[in-house]
Structures are given as C-alpha cells and as structure tokens.
Amino acid sequence: MLKVFISYASEDEEVVLTYWQRLRDAGFEPWISCRAVSPGAVWPRVIPDALKMSDVVLLFMSPRSVNKPGMVQLEMRQAMAKQQSAPEGQITVIPLVLEPCTVPGEVADLLQFVRLSDVGEWDRVIPQLEIAAQQRNVKIVSGSSHGPFRVKEGVIEDSWHGGSARFEYLTFESETHAEAAIELSDYFRGGARQSMIAARPLPWVANRRELRHDGSEWPEDEEQGAAVVVFANSAIVSVESSRWQYSSGAAHGNGVLITHNFLVTERVTEFTLESLFERQEEALQLISDSCRTALAQQHWEIWGSMPDEAASEWINSGTEPEWSNFQAFTMSDDGILIRFQSYQVAPYASGTPQVAISFFTLRDVVRSTGPVALARVE
C-alpha cells in the first residue's frame, strides 16, 4: 500500500484525523504520529524515520503549523529535501492548506498547494495519490476493513424541480465470506435504490410547487441516507443506517435510525433483539430498567441534576417494556448498544441518545448459543 506521512501541528490534530481516516478508507496507508507513536518513544528518532520510509508526504498547513518552531518545521524541511531528491515528475510532497496562512516560500516556490477550505479541493488529492501509487507500482486496496470484509461506499443521487435525494450504500468484499459479501451488497444497494424511487415525486407534483406569500419559492426538499458498519467479525455484522428528511417550510429536518444485524456464518440471515433471549419477558424488563437508569445518569452528567418530572416522564414513556422501543440496536463483542430515535426519550436537541448494556448484565436471560456467543468468537 502507498505509505503516506502526515505532517501537522498538534493543535490541528482533530481535523487532520478526519483526513487520516479518509486516506485509510481510500486504500492508502497513512502514518500519523498521534496514532503511530507509542508512549515513551523518542520523537526526534521515530518521526524522521517514518517520514523517510514514506512514499508521499502530506503537509497540512495552518497558522499554527507554519509559525510553530520544533518538530513540524523539521518535518517540512525533511519533506522538501525528499522532494528535491525524487525523480523528475514523481509525486512526493503535497502541500495542503487547512486555513488561510502564509505558505513558506520553500514550499510555495516549488509546489502547487491545495486549499482544503475550498469546496471539492480534497477530491483533487486522491487522484494525485493514485498517480503516486502507479509511479511506484503500489497496489491500492480501497475500502475499510471490518472483520473478514472489505467495505466500500457507493451512492445513488437524483434531483428534480424543488428537491433532491442522495442515498449512500455499502458494498462488501471478502475472500472467506464471498457469498455473504454478495448478499449484503445486494441488500444495501437494493435498499438505496428502493429509497430513491420512493423519494421521487410524481412529475405533475414536482412541477407545481406552491409559492410563498411574497411570490418566492420555498427551500428545496431534501432526503438523505447513509450507512456504517459498527461491528463485524466472522459470524456477525451490525450496520447502522440513518435517514434524514427536510420538507420545505419545516423548522428543521427529521432523522430516523435503522439498524441491521446479520448472521453470516453460512447464509446471511437477519436477527432481532428479542431473538437473543431465552427468557424474553425477563430480558425485556431488564433492558427497560437498564435504559432508564442509564438515561437518568446521562441527564445528571450533562445537566448536573436528576431528571425532573417532565424529563422522567419522557424517559419512562420511551423505555416502556415493549420490544418496539428497543428495535434500534447493534452488537459488540461485550454487549449490545440501544439507540433511541429523536424525541423518543428526550427533546430534539438531545439528538439520538444511546445506552450500552453488557452481556454480563444480561447473562441470566440470554440464549447460551446464537448471536451473543458468536459476538465473542474473536
């Protein structure tokens, strides 16, 4: 894989990490000090060695990095020396401007830089890295790794007069679970296509949008969907999907969470929360009680007080011991994560609260075989 060294100021770590993840998902091997340097390691030795071994250096520049003495300046000088000694035409250093700043002359005089604050500029970087990989005969393996699967994102989008829709979906690849990968890909691609068809208005409706009182048009309708793998091993895959919709004239958009939990041991089958338990009535009450306790604790941690009567009523109503209240769940290797819809247990501003319940808590009510046992196989 193409080795990409990331040079940045520590003050920019949070935003730079998002690009580090994008590089990983795109099939590159990015090196960033905050994730790669072990505690106690000698920085002046480890970082220059990693930069020297890299194929391409990304210089993330900001007012913090260009004016900060120390390691970040050493990285820039070493990167430019690496560029000067590279074969002509070989992509070795790519300067990236995070925020407006004065790009050092030794960089600006030699290399074209990319302003990441401009829309779409990051999309110019990936093709350059792909060229760099070709120049070095390095393979690019795109997608992110989840258990035995390599997962990539696809998108279906469309627009019409007065609205648009965009649905992202997941595709799966696997050498050991090839048939499961095909079925999972079909499942999510088909779901995205179905959502797109359902979102499109009839032609005579789309062309006859009502106007505001002042004669102007309402903001466009929007609908979006996305999915992410939250847990996967050789037996189980858990995916969280989100749908968001805005209708013109509304105060804000509304979203809904949908979760999918699959067994992938032989053929793909989807399982429900209640199927995890041998003693379902006891399990349901235990889940309800656990969620109420956890949500009250979250309220106390955020607001410094226990829920008042109105907040308690909201929590209790949304966690009544009914399976329908806990359908948005995903697996992990040590428990389940319950997600709540907007407005279910708290106001819209609280987003989508979540509660983790350990298998230890559920140990007396779960099935001895099945998904719970399989979640812990690795």
Side-chain angles (χ1 to χ4, degrees), residues 26-210:
F28 303 106
E29 186 179 337
W31 191 98
I32 187 168
S33 58
C34 63
R35 293 297 175 89
V37 179
S38 303
V42 181
W43 286 77
R45 183 182 306 159
V46 174
I47 292 178
D49 286 348
L51 194 153
K52 182 178 179 180
M53 296 298 295
S54 66
D55 298 305
V56 177
V57 180
L58 298 186
L59 296 176
F60 283 88
M61 293 180 290
S62 71
R64 275 83 55 190
S65 67
V66 298
N67 296 314
K68 183 178 183 179
M71 186 59 68
V72 69
Q73 297 298 324
L74 178 63
E75 292 169 8
M76 184 185 69
R77 290 195 296 270
Q78 186 175 349
M80 296 311 298
K82 188 180 183 76
Q83 176 68 59
Q84 293 281 9
S85 62
E88 185 177 355
Q90 187 178 78
I91 297 172
T92 304
V93 178
I94 302 177
L96 306 171
V97 178
L98 283 171
E99 297 176 20
C101 62
T102 302
V103 177
E106 60 187 296
V107 177
D109 293 344
L110 185 64
L111 298 171
Q112 176 64 44
F113 53 85
V114 176
R115 298 186 186 277
L116 293 178
S117 57
D118 293 343
V119 176
E121 286 299 279
W122 174 254
D123 295 335
R124 297 174 55 197
V125 177
I126 297 300
Q128 291 299 103
L129 292 174
E130 291 173 345
I131 293 172
Q134 293 172 4
Q135 292 173 338
R136 296 164 174 80
N137 294 317
V138 174
K139 183 180 180 181
I140 298 175
V141 183
S142 61
S144 54
S145 180
H146 297 277
F149 299 98
R150 196 92 192 157
V151 183
K152 304 177 184 178
E153 292 182 357
V155 63
I156 297 173
E157 54 188 337
D158 196 4
S159 61
W160 46 85
H161 177 63
S164 63
R166 174 187 172 89
F167 296 99
E168 298 176 2
Y169 61 88
L170 304 177
T171 60
F172 293 73
E173 299 175 356
S174 176
E175 293 183 2
T176 59
H177 292 61
E179 288 300 318
I182 292 172
E183 290 195 339
L184 289 170
S185 298
D186 289 345
Y187 182 99
F188 287 104
R189 187 186 297 109
R193 179 61 66 185
Q194 183 179 22
S195 296
M196 177 60 73
I197 293 173
R200 291 178 181 137
L202 293 167
W204 51 87
V205 175
N207 292 329
R208 294 184 58 187
R209 286 170 53 83
E210 294 184 4

Side-chain angles (χ1 to χ4, degrees), residues 302-370:
I302 294 172
W303 303 107
S305 64
M306 293 298 290
D308 59 18
E309 183 177 351
S312 295
E313 183 178 351
W314 211 329
I315 290 173
N316 292 336
S317 175
T319 57
E320 285 289 334
E322 301 173 1
W323 288 114
S324 59
N325 283 328
F326 310 106
Q327 289 307 301
F329 80 100
T330 52
M331 303 289 290
S332 71
D333 56 4
D334 61 0
I336 59 175
L337 182 67
I338 305 291
R339 298 294 300 272
F340 295 97
Q341 309 292 346
S342 297
Y343 297 110
Q344 184 176 348
V345 295
Y348 178 83
S350 297
T352 53
Q354 60 186 37
V355 172
I357 306 177
S358 69
F359 291 143
F360 177 81
T361 300
L362 302 169
R363 65 192 182 280
D364 294 330
V365 293
V366 298
R367 296 183 185 278
S368 57
T369 59

Side-chain angles (χ1 to χ4, degrees), residues 223-276:
E223 191 164 351
Q224 300 176 14
V228 61
V229 177
V230 296
F231 176 75
N233 64 15
S234 61
I236 289 175
V237 173
S238 282
V239 174
E240 181 181 290
S241 299
S242 59
R243 292 284 299 274
W244 182 86
Q245 186 177 42
Y246 172 79
S247 298
S248 61
H252 55 71
N254 283 307
V256 62
L257 286 170
I258 307 168
T259 57
H260 315 267
N261 297 277
F262 305 96
L263 287 177
V264 295
T265 48
E266 296 180 4
R267 63 186 66 181
V268 175
T269 52
E270 194 165 7
F271 60 89
T272 61
L273 181 61
E274 52 264 47
S275 69
L276 304 181

